[in-house]
PDB file of all heavy atoms in Angstrom:
ATOM      1  N   GLY A 291     118.283  61.387   7.819  1.00 98.00           N
ATOM      2  CA  GLY A 291     117.306  60.354   7.491  1.00 98.00           C
ATOM      3  C   GLY A 291     117.658  59.063   8.195  1.00 98.00           C
ATOM      4  O   GLY A 291     118.799  58.601   8.121  1.00 98.00           O
ATOM      5  N   VAL A 292     116.686  58.487   8.900  1.00 98.00           N
ATOM      6  CA  VAL A 292     116.904  57.262   9.675  1.00 98.00           C
ATOM      7  C   VAL A 292     115.990  56.159   9.152  1.00 98.00           C
ATOM      8  O   VAL A 292     114.781  56.377   8.982  1.00 98.00           O
ATOM      9  CB  VAL A 292     116.631  57.495  11.175  1.00 98.00           C
ATOM     10  CG1 VAL A 292     116.682  56.180  11.949  1.00 98.00           C
ATOM     11  CG2 VAL A 292     117.609  58.497  11.755  1.00 98.00           C
ATOM     12  N   ASP A 293     116.557  54.987   8.887  1.00 97.00           N
ATOM     13  CA  ASP A 293     115.763  53.843   8.470  1.00 97.00           C
ATOM     14  C   ASP A 293     116.500  52.570   8.858  1.00 97.00           C
ATOM     15  O   ASP A 293     117.737  52.541   8.827  1.00 97.00           O
ATOM     16  CB  ASP A 293     115.522  53.857   6.955  1.00 97.00           C
ATOM     17  CG  ASP A 293     114.331  53.010   6.557  1.00 97.00           C
ATOM     18  OD1 ASP A 293     114.498  51.779   6.389  1.00 97.00           O
ATOM     19  OD2 ASP A 293     113.223  53.560   6.428  1.00 97.00           O
ATOM     20  N   PRO A 294     115.776  51.503   9.228  1.00 96.00           N
ATOM     21  CA  PRO A 294     116.460  50.265   9.617  1.00 96.00           C
ATOM     22  C   PRO A 294     116.892  49.400   8.440  1.00 96.00           C
ATOM     23  O   PRO A 294     117.624  48.427   8.628  1.00 96.00           O
ATOM     24  CB  PRO A 294     115.400  49.540  10.458  1.00 96.00           C
ATOM     25  CG  PRO A 294     114.101  49.990   9.883  1.00 96.00           C
ATOM     26  CD  PRO A 294     114.332  51.433   9.491  1.00 96.00           C
ATOM     27  N   ALA A 295     116.432  49.728   7.217  1.00 95.00           N
ATOM     28  CA  ALA A 295     116.684  48.883   6.048  1.00 95.00           C
ATOM     29  C   ALA A 295     117.843  49.429   5.224  1.00 95.00           C
ATOM     30  O   ALA A 295     117.728  50.473   4.578  1.00 95.00           O
ATOM     31  CB  ALA A 295     115.430  48.775   5.190  1.00 95.00           C
ATOM     32  N   GLY A 296     118.953  48.710   5.231  1.00 95.00           N
ATOM     33  CA  GLY A 296     120.118  49.162   4.489  1.00 95.00           C
ATOM     34  C   GLY A 296     119.881  49.264   2.999  1.00 95.00           C
ATOM     35  O   GLY A 296     120.425  50.168   2.341  1.00 95.00           O
ATOM     36  N   ALA A 297     119.060  48.372   2.443  1.00 95.00           N
ATOM     37  CA  ALA A 297     118.796  48.414   1.000  1.00 95.00           C
ATOM     38  C   ALA A 297     118.043  49.679   0.614  1.00 95.00           C
ATOM     39  O   ALA A 297     118.256  50.234  -0.471  1.00 95.00           O
ATOM     40  CB  ALA A 297     118.014  47.176   0.569  1.00 95.00           C
ATOM     41  N   MET A 298     117.159  50.136   1.481  1.00 96.00           N
ATOM     42  CA  MET A 298     116.446  51.387   1.214  1.00 96.00           C
ATOM     43  C   MET A 298     117.421  52.563   1.265  1.00 96.00           C
ATOM     44  O   MET A 298     117.374  53.472   0.419  1.00 96.00           O
ATOM     45  CB  MET A 298     115.330  51.593   2.244  1.00 96.00           C
ATOM     46  CG  MET A 298     114.270  50.508   2.257  1.00 96.00           C
ATOM     47  SD  MET A 298     113.137  50.594   0.859  1.00 96.00           S
ATOM     48  CE  MET A 298     111.901  51.705   1.523  1.00 96.00           C
ATOM     49  N   LEU A 299     118.317  52.544   2.232  1.00 97.00           N
ATOM     50  CA  LEU A 299     119.279  53.641   2.357  1.00 97.00           C
ATOM     51  C   LEU A 299     120.276  53.659   1.204  1.00 97.00           C
ATOM     52  O   LEU A 299     120.766  54.724   0.833  1.00 97.00           O
ATOM     53  CB  LEU A 299     120.012  53.536   3.693  1.00 97.00           C
ATOM     54  CG  LEU A 299     119.154  53.787   4.939  1.00 97.00           C
ATOM     55  CD1 LEU A 299     119.990  53.609   6.198  1.00 97.00           C
ATOM     56  CD2 LEU A 299     118.521  55.167   4.914  1.00 97.00           C
ATOM     57  N   ASP A 300     120.561  52.503   0.616  1.00 96.00           N
ATOM     58  CA  ASP A 300     121.420  52.478  -0.567  1.00 96.00           C
ATOM     59  C   ASP A 300     120.800  53.283  -1.697  1.00 96.00           C
ATOM     60  O   ASP A 300     121.487  54.031  -2.411  1.00 96.00           O
ATOM     61  CB  ASP A 300     121.659  51.038  -1.026  1.00 96.00           C
ATOM     62  CG  ASP A 300     122.597  50.268  -0.103  1.00 96.00           C
ATOM     63  OD1 ASP A 300     123.320  50.915   0.682  1.00 96.00           O
ATOM     64  OD2 ASP A 300     122.587  49.025  -0.164  1.00 96.00           O
ATOM     65  N   VAL A 301     119.485  53.135  -1.868  1.00 96.00           N
ATOM     66  CA  VAL A 301     118.761  53.926  -2.880  1.00 96.00           C
ATOM     67  C   VAL A 301     118.791  55.401  -2.497  1.00 96.00           C
ATOM     68  O   VAL A 301     119.003  56.279  -3.338  1.00 96.00           O
ATOM     69  CB  VAL A 301     117.311  53.428  -3.041  1.00 96.00           C
ATOM     70  CG1 VAL A 301     116.530  54.325  -4.001  1.00 96.00           C
ATOM     71  CG2 VAL A 301     117.293  51.986  -3.538  1.00 96.00           C
ATOM     72  N   ALA A 302     118.587  55.690  -1.216  1.00 97.00           N
ATOM     73  CA  ALA A 302     118.564  57.074  -0.743  1.00 97.00           C
ATOM     74  C   ALA A 302     119.894  57.778  -1.017  1.00 97.00           C
ATOM     75  O   ALA A 302     119.910  58.928  -1.484  1.00 97.00           O
ATOM     76  CB  ALA A 302     118.252  57.104   0.752  1.00 97.00           C
ATOM     77  N   ARG A 303     120.984  57.113  -0.744  1.00 97.00           N
ATOM     78  CA  ARG A 303     122.294  57.734  -0.939  1.00 97.00           C
ATOM     79  C   ARG A 303     122.562  58.052  -2.404  1.00 97.00           C
ATOM     80  O   ARG A 303     123.257  59.028  -2.721  1.00 97.00           O
ATOM     81  CB  ARG A 303     123.391  56.808  -0.406  1.00 97.00           C
ATOM     82  CG  ARG A 303     123.373  56.625   1.103  1.00 97.00           C
ATOM     83  CD  ARG A 303     124.558  55.807   1.573  1.00 97.00           C
ATOM     84  NE  ARG A 303     124.476  55.573   3.013  1.00 97.00           N
ATOM     85  CZ  ARG A 303     124.008  54.456   3.563  1.00 97.00           C
ATOM     86  NH1 ARG A 303     123.595  53.467   2.779  1.00 97.00           N
ATOM     87  NH2 ARG A 303     123.960  54.327   4.875  1.00 97.00           N
ATOM     88  N   ALA A 304     122.019  57.243  -3.306  1.00 96.00           N
ATOM     89  CA  ALA A 304     122.305  57.394  -4.729  1.00 96.00           C
ATOM     90  C   ALA A 304     121.372  58.370  -5.434  1.00 96.00           C
ATOM     91  O   ALA A 304     121.636  58.751  -6.573  1.00 96.00           O
ATOM     92  CB  ALA A 304     122.210  56.032  -5.426  1.00 96.00           C
TER      93      ALA A 304
END
Side-chain angles (χ1 to χ4, degrees):
V292 173
D293 201 276
M298 299 286 272
L299 292 178
D300 287 342
V301 175
R303 293 185 184 98

